[in-house]
Amino acid sequence: MSYEAYFQAEREAQLAELKEWLAIPSISALSAHKNDVLAAAEWLAETLKRAGLENIKIHPTAGHPVVYADYLHAPGKPTVLVYGHYDVQPVDPLNLWTTPPFEPDIRDGKLYARGATDDKGQVFMHIKAIEAILKQEGTLPVNIKLCIEGEEEISSIHLPEFLEQHKDLLAADAVLVSDTALLERGRPAICTGLRGLAELEVHVTTASTDLHSGSYGGAVPNALHAIVSLLSSLHDDKGRVAVEGFYDGVPELSALMREEFAKQGVDENKIRESLGLDSLYGEEGYSFVERVGARPTLELNGVYGGFQGEGSKTVIPKEAHAKITCRLVGDQDPQHVLNAVEAHLRAHIQSGAKVHIKQMGKAKAFNIDPSLPILQTAADAYGKVYGTRALFTKDGGSIPIMASFSRILEVPVVLMGFGLDDENLHAPNEHFNLENFDKGLLTIVEFLKTL
């Protein structure tokens, strides 16, 4: 039986099985869901066993567990380590979901659920591709290991330590990951770069209590005024980050790199219109894809303080808060960036106000040479199934653990994603286009057999 016929015959059963996994609310960021995260790991272990994999173990960590499995019966052949994650993002705001996030629903050829595309759906494809080869041929053409974690959505807090402690167990010739996206429908892409990350929280305080704006207005510092002034100092009027030392380690875009970005053929007007914007915005002198794929950013993720209830309250707030994330590229050092931003904030705080800064998560950027033979093999596999060879791109997002895999295991990381950018990952109504579920299964099989 051809693989196309096999997967068509198994499709309904496989989707029903995937729905079971998606129904488990494995939200790693919320302690109330700790048991659900464990339940998702246990479900995964049982599914790996049924698929024919061996040496399955749920490894505890100081946080959520890592699930390992392997099938090592191809002496002299390459060993591929498949990485993914079974934890998911929180689901708020619930009222914006058309159907409940943990009640998977198929509509218009799309599977809706939290985790459908990020990353349970894509991990599930690897399991089913491996299972298909075992059922069709009795063995695998390469050696396979799987390392599926439960903390990717909280920056893979404990996985680097796990990698260090289990280097021999996880030793491989390449790491294979499906947690990225196609350029657009029918246009596959292999990501050769991911931005790093640096996160911090900012708290501004003034008086010991909120004050009446009639009695004190105009004569005392206002925490909201202070934080607005402080945050506006982080960029210049051309969209460039105004923090001294922020761009240390950022490579200049070469003519060749700009040519590769241009090949993507991104229509900026289409993006603008789809987002309901009057115009795009960003660092002057760079296109949309260059800003997203190859330039660092400093973004405000939340700014809050003062009275926010219905009606009016004439108050001068004593405190205000902000959450900031920086996306990093090239050789930017996350700790250096955090220190530079903190120094800038302390130097620019308004008179009479105090600033308190909490440095948080950090991760280095990931880059890989697209000329490597294994990446060329992956591009060919896409080409055979999709009818068009994958382009090599750089992704604006961050998968913090990728740099750790590359550094600790010292092997290439192949990012073969099957999602689409408009599938609402991290947002209400997350979904996975089943066209890419079908083609993804065939592409993974093709890649493993060709490899």
Side-chain angles (χ1 to χ4, degrees):
M1 182 187 297
S2 70
Y3 281 99
E4 290 90 340
Y6 171 88
F7 285 123
Q8 187 59 40
E10 296 290 325
R11 191 174 193 266
E12 292 306 312
Q14 289 181 351
L15 289 176
E17 193 174 359
L18 175 56
K19 284 182 177 181
E20 292 179 8
W21 201 20
L22 293 172
I24 303 173
S26 51
I27 305 171
S28 55
L30 303 179
S31 58
H33 287 278
K34 183 176 181 179
N35 289 337
D36 294 315
V37 178
L38 177 59
E42 292 171 340
W43 187 97
L44 173 60
E46 284 299 315
T47 302
L48 292 168
K49 182 178 179 180
R50 290 196 302 270
L53 286 145
E54 301 171 345
N55 301 311
I56 300 157
K57 184 175 179 180
I58 299 175
H59 290 266
T61 72
H64 301 301
V66 174
V67 180
Y68 173 86
D70 62 34
Y71 192 90
L72 308 174
H73 299 284
K77 302 297 183 181
T79 297
V80 177
L81 174 64
V82 176
Y83 163 80
H85 65 94
Y86 62 86
D87 64 320
V88 301
Q89 281 276 323
V91 296
D92 301 282
L94 269 172
N95 64 297
L96 295 183
W97 287 81
T98 302
T99 51
F102 297 109
E103 295 180 18
D105 184 52
I106 295 176
R107 305 191 299 275
D108 302 321
K110 302 171 183 177
L111 174 57
Y112 286 81
R114 175 58 91 225
T117 188
D118 183 22
D119 181 39
K120 287 178 179 176
Q122 298 200 57
V123 170
F124 186 78
M125 288 194 302
H126 285 276
I127 300 169
K128 291 303 164 183
I130 292 167
E131 181 181 64
I133 298 173
L134 286 172
K135 286 186 175 181
Q136 292 273 90
E137 305 185 28
T139 190
L140 297 179
V142 295
N143 300 295
I144 287 286
K145 298 178 180 181
L146 293 98
C147 174
I148 315 298
E149 68 156 321
E151 295 186 335
E152 194 275 342
E153 299 294 6
I154 51 174
S155 301
S156 301
I157 301 171
H158 299 102
L159 193 57
E161 181 182 5
F162 181 85
L163 296 181
E164 293 281 8
Q165 292 175 347
H166 297 86
K167 285 175 68 172
D168 292 340
L169 177 69
L170 300 173
D173 296 294
V175 177
L176 177 59
V177 184
S178 293
D179 197 10
T180 50
L182 280 68
L183 276 175
E184 59 185 20
R185 183 178 177 184
R187 296 186 68 200
I190 295 173
C191 178
T192 62
L194 290 161
R195 292 194 287 192
L197 197 65
E199 304 172 312
L200 63 157
E201 290 182 352
V202 182
H203 308 281
V204 170
T205 60
T206 51
S208 58
T209 183
D210 288 354
L211 298 170
H212 190 289
S213 66
S215 302
Y216 293 92
V220 297
N222 181 315
L224 284 175
H225 291 180
I227 202 167
V228 168
S229 173
L230 183 63
L231 298 177
S232 69
S233 74
L234 291 167
H235 293 85
D236 65 19
D237 59 4
K238 295 183 178 180
R240 185 176 173 87
V241 178
V243 174
E244 183 178 352
F246 181 84
Y247 289 94
D248 293 349
V250 176
E252 288 300 319
L253 274 176
S254 66
L256 180 60
M257 288 179 67
R258 291 199 135 165
E259 184 180 337
E260 285 296 309
F261 279 120
K263 285 180 182 178
Q264 297 182 28
V266 171
D267 185 338
E268 294 194 2
N269 284 327
K270 183 178 179 181
I271 293 173
R272 177 184 57 76
E273 291 171 359
S274 71
L275 297 174
L277 294 170
D278 294 329
S279 64
L280 298 176
Y281 176 81
E283 188 180 3
E284 190 176 84
Y286 298 93
S287 67
F288 176 87
V289 290
E290 289 169 348
R291 290 169 181 165
V292 170
R295 298 299 294 169
T297 65
L298 186 155
E299 297 285 358
L300 307 181
N301 308 122
V303 180
Y304 51 100
F307 178 67
Q308 299 174 55
E310 184 179 357
S312 175
K313 184 181 181 183
T314 54
V315 65
I316 298 174
K318 69 168 185 172
E319 60 184 59
H321 315 272
K323 293 179 182 290
I324 297 174
T325 53
C326 304
R327 300 284 181 170
L328 312 179
V329 301
D331 293 323
Q332 279 182 294
D333 178 4
Q335 188 60 57
H336 172 73
V337 169
L338 287 170
N339 292 343
V341 174
E342 178 170 343
H344 177 98
L345 293 170
R346 295 194 183 282
H348 288 77
I349 187 64
Q350 190 181 90
S351 176
K354 297 177 182 177
V355 63
H356 312 270
I357 298 162
K358 180 181 179 182
Q359 296 189 8
M360 298 175 68
K362 57 186 178 181
K364 289 188 175 181
F366 163 78
N367 291 284
I368 190 170
D369 182 356
S371 68
L372 288 173
I374 192 168
L375 267 70
Q376 296 296 319
T377 299
D380 290 338
Y382 276 113
K384 187 163 185 179
V385 175
Y386 280 83
T388 180
R389 198 170 187 268
L391 287 176
F392 294 104
T393 64
K394 291 188 181 293
D395 197 311
S398 303
I399 307 177
I401 199 62
M402 290 303 98
S404 295
F405 270 115
S406 180
R407 175 180 58 83
I408 296 171
L409 300 185
E410 299 179 325
V411 294
V413 178
V414 185
L415 291 163
M416 295 182 69
F418 299 95
L420 289 172
D421 282 336
D422 64 357
E423 290 178 333
N424 289 13
L425 62 166
H426 293 205
N429 297 313
E430 179 182 346
H431 57 277
F432 190 24
N433 282 264
L434 294 181
E435 173 187 11
N436 291 321
F437 176 82
D438 298 329
K439 290 183 176 180
L441 288 165
L442 294 170
T443 303
I444 294 168
V445 168
E446 177 67 23
F447 174 69
L448 294 178
K449 288 173 64 66
T450 304
L451 191 63

